[in-house]
Amino acid sequence: MPVILPPARRAFHAARVLVASALLARAPAAMAHGFGQRFDLPLPLWLWLTGAGATIVVTFLLIAVFVRESHPLQRYPRFDLLRWPPARWVVNRGMAAFLRIVAALLFVVTLLAGLLGNPDPYSNLITTMVWVVWWVGVAFFCALIGDLWSVINPWSTLFAAAERAFAAMSGRRLSLALRYPGWLGAWPAVLVFLGFAWAELIWPEKNVPDRLAAVLLGYSICTWLGMFVFGREAWLRHAEAFTLAFGVLSRFAPLEFVERADGTPSLYLRPFGAGLVSERPVSWSFMVFVILMLATVTFDGFQETALMQRIDTFTQTSHVVASALFDLSELGLEESLVTHTLTLVAFVIAFVAIFWIVNGISLRGARARAGEARASTHFVACSFVLTLVPIAVAYHLSHYFSLLLTAGQFVIPLASDPFGWGWNLFGTAGYKVNLAIVSPYVFWYSAVAIIVLGHVVAVFLAHGVAVRLFGRQALVREVPMVVLMVGYTCLSLWILAQPIVG
């Protein structure tokens, strides 16, 4: 049976509703999901899955034969772009200050639009700005170019401005600068990111501008409170979810921003993925955070499959489950909301557990390299987790790039009328969104290529970690991780190939 390829996964449900709802009134029904056409895979899906899995295995074998170093990217060529005058013109304190001011102003305008603007979600800037431009667009930039978020973060910019103003008026620092407790780790960021994923994928009111603005304002206050208690830099480094998320993605990027001891910036060009090479394992909480990023974006696609529909049907037909959901509905909890929330949590737990088990299997009967104590599953898992980042980047790109090209067009009319009050500041208010901008053929072939390439890079990085941890035993100990990556490659392509069922 031919497979219908959806033009754009429902990725961010807010953006999907934004696009579909806006165009239902302006375009034929067939255009509700984007391309408005059926796309049959040129080969059966099982052949695509087999080919992708075989590519990962062959890559592993070639790397195992020809790469014997523990850190194959550690001595990568590093070119200082600031040797070029054009780069120095772009990367300087003045440009950074300009970008920070623009980002802070956009943040304020977006928040005010949500609180005061038109309640229609596709006439209000906040919906497109939060779900498409900020999360998808900035994430793409951070993964493919460099860590833009560390420069433009409006929460950091506004708090820093408050710190300077307070110091000028009182001569004292604003923050209490308490020591950030080590046991807290990245757990605040884990909880916030899980909540963000829930809001993005499940929350029924994610498209309501004033509700979205209220959440944005609430999170802003919590972030500034954390900065006030522990200091701005400490809170951003340890606990601010989106600084960590964009920072994880930017480790894959080819541009590396470094601040010298004298405070002057440096900008280096490096190979993709070089920033993921690390001698030391990350913390347990940071490991969970990285896997959480991978699990939530996979769950987004999973919600579109027939399997998720069968889960929904089961909860309605099973007497025990339906009775429990009915009791919860009496408390104001909508049944499908509970089902999808529990499935999301189960996804995250399953991803963490599977990754932990695979690393335990890799370690079984092995010892660390000579001179080191016996490694633990905790140590191995926290050493390998950054090798999953290329997979997270690949799935994020393949899953959302059509969404960015389609729903991102709403920025053009909204730039002229951000509050939905009938303005036309730049003459673009009448722009018509073109959902057919991305061919389904481009979508499918790009998705396959990106996912497979991401897993190839992950295998390359994982081999370096395996050599460092296990020495001559690396080839055997790496096999469970390769099996996991092949399985996830097949799962990713299967999800992308499923018809939209909602």
Side-chain angles (χ1 to χ4, degrees), residues 94-108 151-152 154 157-158 164:
M95 180 61 69
F98 172 76
L99 291 175
R100 290 189 185 101
I101 292 172
V102 171
L105 289 176
L106 282 175
F107 172 80
V108 173
V151 177
I152 67 172
T157 299
L158 294 174
R164 288 191 294 270

Side-chain angles (χ1 to χ4, degrees), residues 397-420:
L397 295 176
S398 63
H399 196 69
Y400 297 143
F401 84 92
S402 62
L403 176 74
L404 182 64
L405 292 179
T406 52
Q409 296 175 61
F410 274 87
V411 171
I412 299 174
L414 288 170
S416 289
D417 189 17
F419 290 81

Side-chain angles (χ1 to χ4, degrees), residues 241-305:
F242 304 105
T243 299
L244 265 63
F246 292 131
V248 166
L249 296 175
S250 66
R251 287 179 180 236
F252 180 79
L255 295 186
E256 178 184 10
F257 297 95
V258 177
E259 189 170 335
R260 298 190 181 101
D262 60 359
T264 58
S266 295
L267 180 64
Y268 293 100
L269 182 65
R270 65 188 182 187
F272 279 99
L276 297 168
V277 175
S278 177
E279 286 280 353
R280 301 175 57 186
V282 301
S283 66
W284 162 251
S285 58
F286 192 83
M287 183 203 76
V288 173
F289 184 85
V290 173
I291 297 176
L292 174 64
M293 291 179 63
L294 194 60
T296 52
V297 73
T298 306
F299 173 76
D300 185 10
F302 179 77
Q303 284 195 114
E304 298 299 326
T305 66

Side-chain angles (χ1 to χ4, degrees), residues 356-372:
W356 185 267
I357 291 170
V358 166
N359 282 278
I361 295 173
S362 297
L363 184 61
R364 188 174 181 85
R367 291 183 177 275
R369 295 192 68 143
E372 297 183 12

Side-chain angles (χ1 to χ4, degrees), residues 26-226:
R26 309 176 192 175
M31 293 293 293
H33 289 304
F35 297 124
Q37 59 180 294
R38 176 189 179 93
F39 174 59
D40 296 339
L41 296 182
L43 293 173
L45 181 59
W46 69 268
L47 282 178
W48 290 98
L49 302 184
T50 302
T55 302
I56 306 302
V57 173
V58 172
T59 300
F60 163 66
L61 295 175
L62 292 174
I63 291 173
V65 171
F66 294 105
V67 180
R68 303 297 178 88
E69 298 179 79
S70 61
H71 290 292
L73 285 179
Q74 195 171 41
R75 290 181 294 277
Y76 59 84
R78 202 174 183 216
F79 181 75
D80 189 353
L81 293 176
L82 295 186
R83 293 178 182 178
W84 292 359
R88 289 198 297 271
W89 181 83
V90 174
V91 182
N92 56 65
R93 292 176 182 268
M95 180 61 69
F98 172 76
L99 291 175
R100 290 189 185 101
I101 292 172
V102 171
L105 289 176
L106 282 175
F107 172 80
V108 173
V109 170
T110 299
L111 187 59
L112 291 176
L115 294 173
L116 307 174
N118 193 319
D120 182 359
Y122 17 89
S123 298
N124 195 302
L125 177 65
I126 191 170
T127 312
T128 300
M129 184 61 71
V130 169
W131 298 124
V132 182
V133 176
W134 172 64
W135 179 236
V136 178
V138 175
F140 275 33
F141 191 99
C142 288
L144 298 179
I145 300 177
D147 191 5
L148 177 66
W149 181 250
S150 64
V151 177
I152 67 172
N153 184 342
W155 294 304
S156 177
T157 299
L158 294 174
F159 191 84
E163 284 182 311
R164 288 191 294 270
F166 185 80
M169 291 186 295
S170 65
R172 294 180 290 112
R173 65 182 180 186
L174 177 61
S175 174
L176 299 178
L178 299 181
R179 182 180 178 84
Y180 187 85
W183 59 265
L184 196 55
W187 292 118
V190 170
L191 294 177
V192 167
F193 195 85
L194 181 60
F196 171 77
W198 178 87
E200 164 207 336
L201 305 175
I202 300 173
W203 186 34
E205 298 182 322
K206 56 187 169 287
N207 295 319
V208 181
D210 60 347
R211 299 297 176 88
L212 186 56
V215 172
L216 178 60
L217 180 60
Y219 179 70
S220 301
I221 293 172
C222 291
T223 300
W224 290 326
L225 182 61

